[in-house]
Amino acid sequence: MAEEYKEALLEKQNYHDGCPGCKVEQMKQLRRGYPYLELSFVWIIVLSTSLPISSLYPFLYYMIEDFGVAKTEKDIGFYAGFVGCSFMLGRALTSVFWGIVADRYGRKPIILLGTISIAIFNALFGLSSNFWMAIGTRFLLGSFNCLLGTMKAYASEIFRDEYQATAMSAVSTAWGIGLIIGPALGGFLAQPADKYPNVFSQESLFGRFRYALPCFTISAFALLVTVLCCFIPETLHNHKLDSLSHDDSYDILEAASHESSPSTGKAGKNERKASQSLLKNWPLMSSIIVYCVLCLHDTAYSEIFALWANSPRKYGGLSYSTNEVGTVLAISGLGLFSFQVFVYPLAEKLLGPVLVTRYAGALMIPIQMSYPFIAGLSGLSLSLMLNCASILINVLSVSAITGLLILQNRAVDQSQRGAANGIAMTAMSLFKTVGPAGAGILFSWSERRLNAAFLPGSHMVFFVLNVIVVVGVALTFKPFLTTGRR
């Protein structure tokens, strides 16, 4: 009798008609082909959340200059770092909260909230008239930017097991491309009245607010994504049994197990208790720590690359305009898209996520060492070498991060993925808060030591970036980084 009740209860829990997550599981069983629809959902949502994060970097140098807070040209990088880090500070303070909410109320409400907040606060950032308004709007944008952690959990749930590498690759690829296309949009669309006077007059809205057009464009895309998100399925299993609570159901199942095998019931109870503490889950926590180190490098590199490309030649930069920076980043985005869609799943299947992360990190080191020497080139050779280096760095950086996303989602059960990804987002955001501020200060300091005997100028900047990568690669070895059972 107990065995029959156990089977009936399990069936009710796993295939309850009112559970959206169960409906998604049934849909996954029926849809046996390649998950193009699911891939599209993940792509556009993650892209919408990553576009505003770094879209400001190509014009931030000039925005700070327009605010008039920097006393000298060498101080611009210092103030730019604080605008960049305000977003990450806001996200660090709220990520765990949004992860818990997503585990309790579902992924879809949090996704909708995130896309709406992007549309509102990113538009307000484009209308910033002073330094403190820029910091405040970016902080609010980060505080309500609850999408990445939720989308990592969502992607792992909506894809079948054989496409889990594709799921995490989709998240990291859309994220990485957004971090590249965002700055490209910022570069092409900033200061439109100066660049396109036949279209935008100096008296128009975009003439008075010189950096509003790229922000409004991204906000419009976020609004479109919000409408599309109304039609995505919920993936969270949320069973509401008629007369039994979850704990009661578990006790009945445990009692039924005791009748047939007392030791099995005891083991199940211990396993259930052990699964409660995410902070004691070392496969999860070790992958999060490595992930944070590599994300610190990623955000520091993004800001330094834009500042370095915009800065004058006399300071070791390239004297690039926002359009030229946008072109380089757009080309890098195309290269990243091609690699992650066609090559990364094969590399992950052949090597596994740990080795992909390790090899990608190691290959970044010599490429970053070449940047100060690339600045000495000109003409076609400069364009060719810079674009090749930019493509490789972005491809390798996103590949390394993708492997760690796979490890994180393998280390926890579905009921904890939202909270686990919230912890990862909080830790990563704390590191990324340090990244832009530290990068801005480092870059400003490097311009004051152009004649130093040891690592002069930009050599010091890229040396520090390489030190961060070396630390990340070192942490991928055992006994530090361990993998989950699944």
Side-chain angles (χ1 to χ4, degrees):
M1 182 70 180
E3 187 66 29
E4 292 177 358
Y5 186 81
K6 175 183 175 182
E7 293 176 359
L9 185 57
L10 280 172
E11 184 176 357
K12 190 173 185 181
Q13 285 179 319
N14 290 327
Y15 299 100
H16 195 280
D17 290 337
C19 174
C22 288
K23 292 180 180 179
V24 170
E25 291 297 324
Q26 293 169 356
M27 180 190 72
K28 286 159 63 176
Q29 295 302 318
L30 293 173
R31 289 171 53 85
R32 303 306 299 175
Y34 192 81
Y36 292 106
L37 182 62
E38 294 88 341
L39 197 64
S40 301
F41 285 153
V42 171
W43 252 90
I44 62 170
I45 297 170
V46 176
L47 184 64
S48 71
T49 191
S50 62
L51 283 174
I53 293 177
S54 57
S55 61
L56 75 164
Y57 289 145
F59 61 77
L60 185 57
Y61 186 93
Y62 304 101
M63 190 183 214
I64 297 298
E65 191 175 44
D66 289 350
F67 288 155
V69 293
K71 294 180 180 180
T72 67
E73 198 175 46
K74 296 178 182 179
D75 295 326
I76 291 176
F78 176 82
Y79 289 97
F82 289 104
V83 176
C85 77
S86 60
F87 174 94
M88 296 300 170
L89 178 60
R91 194 167 68 176
L93 296 176
T94 59
S95 291
V96 170
F97 170 76
W98 293 125
I100 294 171
V101 172
D103 279 342
R104 182 167 184 177
Y105 297 104
R107 319 300 189 204
K108 187 173 178 178
I110 302 304
I111 292 171
L112 288 168
L113 175 65
T115 54
I116 291 171
S117 67
I118 291 169
I120 295 172
F121 294 118
N122 196 60
L124 290 175
F125 172 72
L127 299 174
S128 297
S129 56
N130 57 67
F131 178 69
W132 292 108
M133 182 178 177
I135 285 182
T137 51
R138 288 288 292 182
F139 176 81
L140 290 172
L141 179 61
S143 298
F144 287 89
N145 192 282
C146 46
L147 283 171
L148 182 59
T150 304
M151 284 307 301
K152 288 191 288 184
Y154 186 87
S156 67
E157 293 161 0
I158 201 170
F159 283 77
R160 296 197 305 275
D161 290 343
E162 62 265 35
Y163 292 114
Q164 286 298 302
T166 301
M168 291 302 104
S169 178
V171 171
S172 60
T173 304
W175 181 260
I177 288 180
L179 295 180
I180 296 171
I181 299 300
L185 288 173
F188 287 125
L189 300 181
Q191 305 165 329
D194 298 333
K195 298 176 184 175
Y196 318 111
N198 295 330
V199 181
F200 303 97
S201 69
Q202 293 291 345
E203 291 75 28
S204 66
L205 174 67
F206 299 118
R208 289 182 289 117
F209 297 97
R210 288 151 48 91
Y211 311 102
L213 183 57
C215 297
F216 280 24
T217 302
I218 293 171
S219 292
F221 178 69
L223 280 177
L224 176 62
V225 173
T226 301
V227 175
L228 295 176
C229 285
C230 294
F231 303 99
I232 66 173
E234 176 60 73
T235 59
L236 181 67
H237 289 273
N238 188 16
H239 301 142
K240 297 179 180 179
L241 300 181
D242 297 332
S243 59
L244 294 171
S245 68
H246 177 78
D247 291 334
D248 292 338
S249 301
Y250 183 83
D251 291 339
I252 291 172
L253 291 177
E254 186 184 19
S257 298
H258 270 298
E259 291 185 10
S260 58
S261 176
S263 61
T264 303
K266 195 173 193 179
K269 188 173 182 179
N270 291 336
E271 184 176 349
R272 180 171 176 256
K273 287 181 179 178
S275 67
Q276 299 302 313
S277 179
L278 291 174
L279 297 179
K280 294 180 180 179
N281 184 337
W282 184 244
L284 172 66
M285 299 310 298
S286 62
S287 62
I288 287 177
I289 292 171
V290 183
Y291 172 67
C292 288
V293 172
L294 294 181
C295 284
L296 170 64
H297 164 268
D298 184 59
T299 189
Y301 169 83
S302 296
E303 175 149 341
I304 283 173
F305 179 83
L307 292 172
W308 173 70
N310 287 144
S311 65
R313 285 268 186 179
K314 63 182 179 180
Y315 295 130
L318 302 179
S319 296
Y320 268 24
S321 67
T322 56
N323 274 4
E324 289 172 316
V325 175
T327 301
V328 173
L329 294 174
I331 293 171
S332 298
L334 292 175
L336 175 62
F337 173 81
S338 301
F339 179 87
Q340 289 292 108
V341 171
F342 299 110
V343 180
Y344 181 84
L346 297 175
E348 193 277 335
K349 187 175 181 180
L350 179 65
L351 300 173
V354 176
L355 287 180
V356 168
T357 297
R358 189 177 300 159
Y359 293 157
L363 290 172
M364 280 193 283
I365 296 171
I367 299 171
Q368 288 185 151
M369 289 175 61
S370 69
Y371 272 91
F373 301 102
I374 290 175
L377 303 175
S378 61
L380 180 61
S381 59
L382 171 61
S383 298
L384 183 62
M385 293 300 295
L386 182 64
N387 280 290
C388 288
S390 179
I391 290 171
L392 288 172
I393 288 293
N394 283 286
V395 163
L396 294 170
S397 179
V398 172
S399 297
I401 290 172
T402 302
L404 295 166
L405 296 183
I406 293 173
L407 294 177
Q408 288 170 30
N409 281 282
R410 286 178 179 174
V412 294
D413 296 324
Q414 186 199 39
S415 62
Q416 295 180 313
R417 280 181 188 145
N421 283 299
I423 293 172
M425 287 295 295
T426 297
M428 179 263 283
S429 296
L430 286 172
F431 275 70
K432 284 198 168 189
T433 299
V434 175
I441 294 170
L442 175 65
F443 186 81
S444 181
W445 174 64
S446 72
E447 292 189 335
R448 290 181 166 83
R449 56 186 310 279
L450 298 175
N451 299 317
F454 178 70
L455 298 174
S458 60
H459 288 270
M460 175 60 75
V461 174
F462 291 102
F463 172 77
V464 173
L465 288 178
N466 273 336
V467 169
I468 298 172
V469 175
V470 168
V471 172
V473 171
L475 294 179
T476 63
F477 290 89
K478 291 182 179 181
F480 186 85
L481 182 64
T482 58
T483 57
R485 294 170 304 194
R486 295 185 302 129

